[in-house]
Each structure stands twice: as C-alpha cells, then as structure tokens.
Amino acid sequence: MKPDSLKNRIIPVLTILISIVAVWYVAAYFMNAPFQRDLDRRAEVTSTTMEFIGKTMAQPKPILPAPHQVVSNVFENTFLRSVTSNRSLVYHAWVTLSSTVLGFTMGTLTGILIAVGIVHLKALDRSLMPWIIASQTVPILAVAPMVIVVLGAINITGLLPKALISTYLSFFPVAVGMVKGLRSPEIIQLDLMRTYYASGAQTFWKLRVPASIPFLFTSMKVAIAASLVGAIVGELPTGAVAGIGSKLLAAAYYSQTIDIWAALIAGSVLAALLVTIVGIIAKIVDRSMGGRPA
Amino acid sequence: MKRVLHSWQGTAALVLCLAALASLPLMAVDAPSPFGTGTVVLVLLMVAGAALVSFTKLSQPLLATILFVAAHLAVWLLLAGIAGNEGQATLAFFLLVAASWLLAWRCVSVLSGIRPKSQAGDTFLRLLIPAIFGAWILILWEAATRGAGIPFIILPPPSSIGARLASSVPILWADVQQTIFKAVLFGYVVGCASGFVVAIIADRIAFLRRGLLPIGNMVSALPIIGVAPIMVMWFGFDWQSKAAVVIIMTFFPMLVNTVAGLAASGAMERDLMRSYASDYWQTLIKLRLPAAMPFIFNALKINSTLALIGAIVAEFFGTPIVGMGFRISTEIGRMNVDMVWAEIAVAALIGSVFYGVVALGERATTFWHPSNRGG
C-alpha cells in the first residue's frame, strides 16, 4: 500500500461513509419521532429528550430503522442462526447466488457465441446488432413474473426460470463487450497474421481471442451485477419460497422494515463479493497471459 | 461447386422443398380446411424457383427483390392457411416455413453485400435489414405457436397480441400515463439533474470526489431495485414512490459518468484555457462540459432503461389500480397472457422511443465526436 493512498483514498471514503451513517441516524430520529410521540401520548409516558431519542432508535417496526438495528439484525441472521434455517440470511443468499451463477454462466456463453457470430458473419452483424440493442430497451425485469409463472405452468420450476432472467440481463454486456474486444486487433496486427499465412481459425484463436480477454472481464463485471438483480427480481413472484427477493417481498408484506434493510444489505454484500471475485480472476488471468501491471 | 457454396441457403432451401414434397400434405389428414392443391403448388414453385434464382448471377438489387417477394409471399400463404387448422400442421408445413426463412436469410446476405452510392439508399438498407430480421422473428413465432398449437397460456401468437393491443388502447393509455408520464419522466429528470449537480460539486471539491467516486462505483453494482418496498412504504402507493425509486436508480450512473466525463478533456486544452485567463466556470462551460457530453449521454441512455425498469418493478409492491407494473402482475394472475404481452410490447416501444430520443439528442450535441463523424 502506497503511503499517499491512505490520505487520498481511504480517508475521503471513510469520511463520506461516516457522514452517511450520521445523516442516517438523524433521519431515523426525525422519521420515527412522530409515531413515537403518538405512542408515548397513548401510554401517557413523559420521557426526557435522551430517552425519547433512544426509543425512536429501538422501535420494532420503524419507518427508518437506525443503522445499529440493521447491523444487529444482519449479524444475528447471518452468524447466530444455523445455515439451513429459513430465517438465515446465508440460506437465502445461497439460493439467490446459485441462480445468479447459473444465469451468469449461460448469459456469458450466449453473449460470447453471439459476438463470435457477429464478428464473422456480415449478415448477422447488420441484422442482429440493432435488435440486441433494442432488446435491452425492453424492461425485462417487468416481464420476470410472467416468465416464472408461464414456465411454472409447464412444470419448469426452481432454479432455471430465475436463471433465465439473469441470462437475458447478462448476455447483453458480454455480447457488446466481446464484439468490441474481438474487433480490437488493429489492421497492422491482422496484416501480420496474413503474412504468417495464418488461417481464419488461427487468427481467431491466437490474435482475436487474447485481445478480447480484457474486454470480456470488464463486461463480465457488469454482467454479474446484472444477473444478481435479475435473480432477485425473479424471486419476487415465486410465492416467497426462498432467496433474497422473496425475503424482501415477505418483509414488505408484514412491514418488517428492519428485515427489508437486512435483505438489502445481504444483496449488496453478495454483489460486492461477486464483482470482487470476477475482478480477482481477471487479474490472475491477465498476469498468467503475460500482462504487465499498469 | 463454387456456385453451390455461393448460396448455401438456396441449396438448403431446395433440399427442404424436396423433403416437404415427400412428406405432403401440409396439414393433418383430418384438418377441417386443408390447403388447396393450387396453393401448395404455388408455394412450392415459388420457394424452389427463388432458391434456383439465388444461384444465378443477376444484379444484386434484382436478386434481393425476387428473394424478398418470394419468401414473404410464400410464408404469407402458409400462415393464412393455418386459420381454422390450429395445431394441425405437419412436418411438411414447417419444412416449407424453414425454406422460406432460408430464402429471407439469403436476401439479407445479398442486401448486406450491396454498397449503395446515395446516402438515402444507405439509410434505407440500414433500416430494411434489421426490419426483415424482426419480421421473421414474429413470423417464426406465429408459425410455431399456431402451427404446432402451443397452448395460449404459454405463448400467445403475435397476431392475437396485436388484436388485444388494438382492442384495449384506453386501458394501455391510462397505464402509460400513470407509469411513464408521472413516475418515469419526473424521476428521470430529477435523478439525472441531481446526479449532474452533485458531480459538478464533487468536481469543485477534490476531497468529496475522492470519497464519492468509489462509493458511487460500488452502488452502481448493487441491486438498488430492492429499495422499492421501502419507498412504497414511505411515499405511499401513488406515483411518488415510483418516482423516488427512479431517482435513486438514475442518480449514481449519472454521477459516476459525469465525474469521469469532466476528467476527459486533455491537459493541453486546459492549458490553453488557462492562457486565455478563463476562470473555473468559463473553462467548465466552454471546454469541459462539451468534452464530457459523450459520457453524460452514455449515462442518459443507461438511465432511460433503468428508469422504466424501476418504475414498473416498484409497482409490484403496491399501486393504485392503474399502471403498467400493476397491469402485468394482475393480468398474469388472471392468466390473460395476451394482455401481459401487449403491455410488454408497449413498454418495449416506449423504451425504444425513449432511447431513440436520447440518441438523437446525442447526435445533435456531440456531432464533433469521432464516433459520430463519418463513423
């Protein structure tokens, strides 16, 4: 770690984070205060200011839970419960993770296939590319419930329908990124391959594919975040069985605000982990391919 | 041999025609209104003829026209013949549909090879080729659903979706007004504007930029859509809660992209502005904002899709009895699948128009950028 990275990166980020938490506490007080005042009046309790502030931070179903309530809920549901329990966040995160990864894998493979087709077939390039872009203006997340219900009607249930939504969301960044990547070799490099009398396949495997790897990983980072969103939304209509999305929906029905926030945090941690893992793999692959540290 | 390779689609179409001939009739024996012999012969002749024509060395536009007419006329006759015979199509029917599809593919290949001299011709081709592709998705969809008799619940044919769309315009219009004109547009404008303003402030204060940028980058990867139930709880069931979700979803992409864009102008240009003794605001407005425009429009494009998704998904968590998300979730519960698809078609159309308007704005504003100059 360079000495100036502390001053230039960590301190500003920490400052902003701390101020967010501070604003959150203040907001929690003001949003929960009216209800608490109401409660106090009905119970005919008069409390000092400090007691009152303490009470606004300890409601069971607050309008805005205070950060420590969310943190303790996350901690309790992550570490103190058995992993197989229905209330464990680990269990729900695992369900979501499995469909995310399946959908991401299918989406990445589809995206790469489409990109290879587009780069090699001119007719495909001119007819398919506009539709790929148009496909993303379809709010597919809005269709997610229908995909789930319809596939459920023909007895395809469980992991696959959710994964299909993730696939749809994740193929696009990969396809676009790979088209760019496969076309990134310059004319001079392609000419060099010609002077080597390389066949089309050789040019593809020895020049185009290695050149596209950085593009692939950049788009995979976007794609895995998109797959996670797809998996979460795909869980909303499945009848609240399991997964972060169903946890969100169930908590929303019963106004369990703390649970909603805890599920959100779980989803965010999952997203950050997945993106980091892809980033680490990208670094390893880059190094093993002889990339120099920038 | 060379010519066979030249049009493998034509060869394949001929083979399919022969196979179809061997497995006639087109409909099951007990179909209520089978194809007339004349129609069958006409379709076969048209497909086979066009396939043979594709081997000749005709001029490209003429060849493309012949293929276009033959493929679409043949498939139109085939589709018209299904009426009353749903689910009775035999292998021969699908072979002929596939053969016409191959002809259309050949047509697209020929069209992509044409280098038009005029600007108008180029634009025409640019629109025609994707249009043929899109039309064939619908045609194959229609042929598959009606020919094979796929249950309506699973996948309704495009024609009945179209009919539903036409017959329920007032409902769809009310939904569009609720979701798009109230929630999406308001949220989009406020979200993008506030993201932009915060980006300018962050640009002024380096400390804020260093702190906000990593956080903003991370938040962009988070499933923000999950705040929808919280917003519904805070702002009630009406459009305000949906607008709030849209604001949160569009804020961070705008922030991150604008900050990146403001760093895009080169050191040389900034030095030039310094030598002109221009102050911060002059440099910002005359140099750095124009240079940031491609980035800002990138964010506007990303946000146009996000805004639609945010508003519709937020409606799943509770709405008044109008709105696109509401309609989708209730009609699917009543198994009115064609209504859901009609709603999706409308959403896709609006999404494309929204994206198109932003893209046109980008062309007008960043005409100087290399990607827009004779690219």
Side-chain angles (χ1 to χ4, degrees), chain A residues 248-259:
Chain A
L248 267 180
L249 194 69
Y253 273 146
Y254 300 111
S255 305
Q256 307 270 15
T257 32
I258 304 181
D259 278 356

Side-chain angles (χ1 to χ4, degrees), chain B residues 11 14-15 47 65 82 152 171 259 304 314:
Chain B
T11 320
L14 276 182
V15 172
V47 174
T65 316
I82 312 179
F152 190 76
I171 299 180
V259 169
S304 69

Side-chain angles (χ1 to χ4, degrees), chain B:
Chain B
M1 192 61 214
K2 185 70 190 154
R3 284 201 176 170
V4 176
L5 275 178
H6 197 66
S7 164
W8 66 267
Q9 292 99 335
T11 320
L14 276 182
V15 172
L16 287 179
C17 269
L18 286 179
L21 204 58
S23 56
L24 281 174
L26 294 183
M27 290 292 158
V29 191
D30 52 347
S33 56
F35 277 92
T37 322
T39 323
V40 176
V41 172
L42 184 62
V43 169
L44 272 173
L45 278 182
M46 217 155 28
V47 174
L52 287 174
V53 168
S54 72
F55 297 117
T56 56
K57 296 245 180 228
L58 284 175
S59 78
Q60 281 177 325
L62 183 62
L63 183 56
T65 316
I66 291 174
L67 285 169
F68 181 83
V69 171
H72 292 86
L73 202 59
V75 87
W76 184 74
L77 283 174
L78 286 169
L79 285 181
I82 312 179
N85 296 330
E86 272 79 3
Q88 305 276 2
T90 57
L91 182 64
F93 176 82
F94 290 109
L95 287 176
L96 278 181
V97 171
S100 347
W101 171 61
L102 282 169
L103 290 183
W105 185 343
R106 181 71 209 153
C107 174
V108 166
S109 308
V110 173
L111 282 175
S112 338
I114 298 179
R115 289 268 157 276
K117 291 187 184 71
S118 68
Q119 185 75 39
D122 192 48
T123 318
F124 176 68
L125 274 187
R126 215 173 267 267
L127 291 176
L128 182 65
I129 293 173
I132 294 178
F133 188 85
W136 274 92
I137 291 179
L138 292 184
I139 290 170
L140 293 179
W141 178 352
E142 180 91 18
T145 46
R146 282 177 60 201
I150 292 175
F152 190 76
I153 300 289
I154 294 175
L155 196 63
S159 53
S160 65
I161 297 171
R164 186 67 189 229
L165 191 72
S167 69
S168 44
V169 168
I171 299 180
L172 291 171
W173 178 242
D175 291 344
V176 167
Q177 272 187 318
Q178 169 76 16
T179 306
I180 307 296
F181 292 138
K182 289 182 185 164
V184 170
L185 281 187
F186 179 80
Y188 182 78
V189 171
V190 174
C192 289
S194 50
F196 182 77
V197 170
V198 172
I200 300 278
I201 297 171
D203 182 61
R204 257 337 294 244
I205 307 166
F207 184 79
L208 199 62
R209 185 174 64 238
R210 289 200 205 101
L212 264 184
L213 211 53
I215 294 176
N217 269 325
M218 209 197 104
V219 172
S220 303
L222 300 186
I224 305 184
I225 195 84
V227 298
I230 299 170
M231 292 301 134
V232 172
M233 225 170 266
W234 285 2
F235 296 103
F237 278 1
D238 211 350
W239 63 269
Q240 288 87 348
S241 57
K242 283 83 204 172
V245 176
V246 175
I247 291 174
I248 299 177
M249 284 183 78
T250 51
F251 175 80
F252 287 102
M254 192 67 190
L255 172 70
V256 172
N257 274 291
T258 311
V259 169
L262 287 175
S265 58
M268 287 262 274
E269 291 125 2
R270 260 180 271 181
D271 280 350
L272 182 67
M273 292 306 276
R274 270 179 77 89
S275 66
Y276 288 159
S278 56
D279 61 18
Y280 173 82
W281 292 107
Q282 281 171 327
T283 315
L284 184 72
I285 289 168
K286 303 214 161 142
L287 169 66
R288 299 177 61 214
L289 275 185
M293 274 303 154
F295 291 83
I296 294 173
F297 271 103
N298 187 24
L300 286 176
K301 280 183 185 166
I302 297 172
N303 282 344
S304 69
T305 334
L306 281 180
L308 228 59
I309 290 177
I312 293 179
V313 173
E315 286 183 354
F316 294 161
F317 288 96
T319 72
I321 51 163
V322 65
M324 303 176 82
F326 165 80
R327 195 75 55 202
I328 289 174
S329 54
T330 48
E331 295 296 327
I332 190 68
R334 293 161 59 189
M335 286 292 169
N336 282 337
V337 192
D338 52 347
M339 187 64 192
V340 179
W341 278 97
E343 201 78 55
I344 292 167
V346 171
L349 182 71
I350 290 171
S352 308
V353 169
F354 201 168
Y355 188 93
V357 169
V358 174
L360 280 182
E362 180 179 25
R363 282 248 170 126
T365 329
T366 62
F367 52 88
W368 47 267
H369 196 261
S371 64
N372 287 337
R373 269 191 330 212

